[in-house]
Amino acid sequence: GDSVTQTEGLVTLTEGLPVMLNCTYQTIYSNPFLFWYVQHLNESPRLLLKSFTDNKRTEHQGFHATLHKSSSSFHLQKSSAQLSDSALYYCALSDRASGSWQLIFGSGTQLTVMP
Amino acid sequence: ETAVFQTPNYHVTQVGNEVSFNCKQTLGHDTMYWYKQDSKKLLKIMFSYNNKQLIVNETVPRRFSPQSSDKAHLNLRIKSVEPEDSAVYLCASSEDTGGFEQYFGPGTRLTVL
């Protein structure tokens, strides 16, 4: 079945260093949508960015990601981490492999940025 | 204010009781969802409702049932709660299915004693 894998459960880094959160997915559907949602402490998840187009960089709020269908990846990156980036990040996949649209979330990566 | 609203914020109950959670969206969206976020922060879709079509995640126990009066409301009923139902239940909505952004409500935290 479809799945989303986020290999890092917890990432801790120092303010100013680059961020890279990994996301790979598995689906038989050829045109999936990929998303990154962010959830800050005591808040609900909200969309950070999304993509549908192969090999096109998507950017929002200093973060960027590129959907690579050849490697089934959608890694999240930022050039310089800020304290306010500390949050739980979910990668998610939307496709119609089952006949109707479904959104599947990865297990999440908790990012902690230290001063 | 346009958003997704959920009530109650918290609910504590005993095993075997019935509970109902409410969700309302004022965004004019056509699709609504219920998610369960467990203690490990795993986020799993339970139901989606679009144009009177209900999509059920096959792993959801039968004691859970969604209830919708119109496209702006999607409530969740749990007939006889069990300890493993303790979680945060998040309601969300989107314009349509597929690649549309989902907007989440603040969540209802359920504790089953």
Side-chain angles (χ1 to χ4, degrees):
Chain A
D2 292 2
S3 63
V4 176
T5 301
Q6 295 180 248
T7 51
E8 311 105 344
L10 189 62
V11 171
T12 303
L13 47 78
T14 305
E15 189 178 16
L17 290 181
V19 178
M20 178 152 170
L21 306 184
N22 291 317
C23 173
T24 57
Y25 63 91
Q26 199 167 18
T27 180
I28 60 172
Y29 189 67
S30 56
N31 296 304
F33 289 90
L34 271 294
F35 304 82
W36 278 99
Y37 279 83
V38 59
Q39 185 175 22
H40 285 92
L41 190 62
N42 297 322
E43 294 183 7
S44 298
R46 62 173 175 81
L47 180 68
L48 180 58
L49 47 80
K50 72 175 184 181
S51 184
F52 173 76
T53 307
D54 198 11
N55 297 318
K56 182 180 177 183
R57 175 170 160 144
T58 300
E59 297 190 38
H60 186 61
Q61 297 185 332
F63 287 90
H64 63 91
T66 303
L67 174 59
H68 292 297
K69 291 186 179 181
S70 60
S71 57
S72 298
S73 67
F74 191 56
H75 306 316
L76 182 68
Q77 299 182 66
K78 188 177 184 184
S79 58
S80 176
Q82 298 177 289
L83 296 176
S84 57
D85 294 332
S86 294
L88 181 58
Y89 291 80
Y90 290 104
C91 182
L93 162 74
S94 179
D95 68 24
R96 292 195 67 173
S98 63
S100 55
W101 286 102
Q102 58 174 354
L103 186 64
I104 299 167
F105 283 85
S107 54
T109 297
Q110 179 67 50
L111 174 65
T112 301
V113 181
M114 310 286 285
Chain B
E1 184 188 0
T2 53
V4 181
F5 302 93
Q6 290 186 242
T7 57
N9 294 327
Y10 304 93
H11 190 78
V12 181
T13 189
Q14 307 247 340
V15 170
N17 285 349
E18 178 175 316
V19 299
S20 283
F21 303 145
N22 300 314
C23 179
K24 169 187 171 182
Q25 56 95 2
T26 57
L27 295 162
H29 288 167
D30 285 338
T31 308
M32 295 185 72
Y33 313 82
W34 276 104
Y35 288 89
K36 178 181 180 181
Q37 186 174 42
D38 65 19
S39 58
K40 295 181 180 177
K41 300 295 186 180
L42 291 176
L43 195 55
K44 293 215 169 140
I45 183 76
M46 300 179 72
F47 306 100
S48 65
Y49 199 78
N50 172 267
N51 283 329
K52 299 186 180 179
Q53 183 188 17
L54 177 66
I55 308 294
V56 181
N57 184 324
E58 61 190 18
T59 66
V60 173
R62 288 177 180 266
R63 60 182 180 278
F64 289 84
S65 60
Q67 297 167 321
S68 178
S69 54
D70 55 55
K71 71 175 188 177
H73 297 83
L74 186 65
N75 300 331
L76 180 67
R77 185 182 104 171
I78 313 175
K79 207 170 177 181
S80 176
V81 295
E82 299 191 6
E84 60 264 31
D85 298 338
S86 293
V88 175
Y89 291 88
L90 290 162
C91 177
S93 73
S94 63
E95 275 189 57
D96 203 338
T97 55
F100 289 91
E101 176 180 358
Q102 292 191 17
Y103 293 80
F104 287 82
T108 295
R109 181 177 295 278
L110 173 66
T111 301
V112 181
L113 302 175

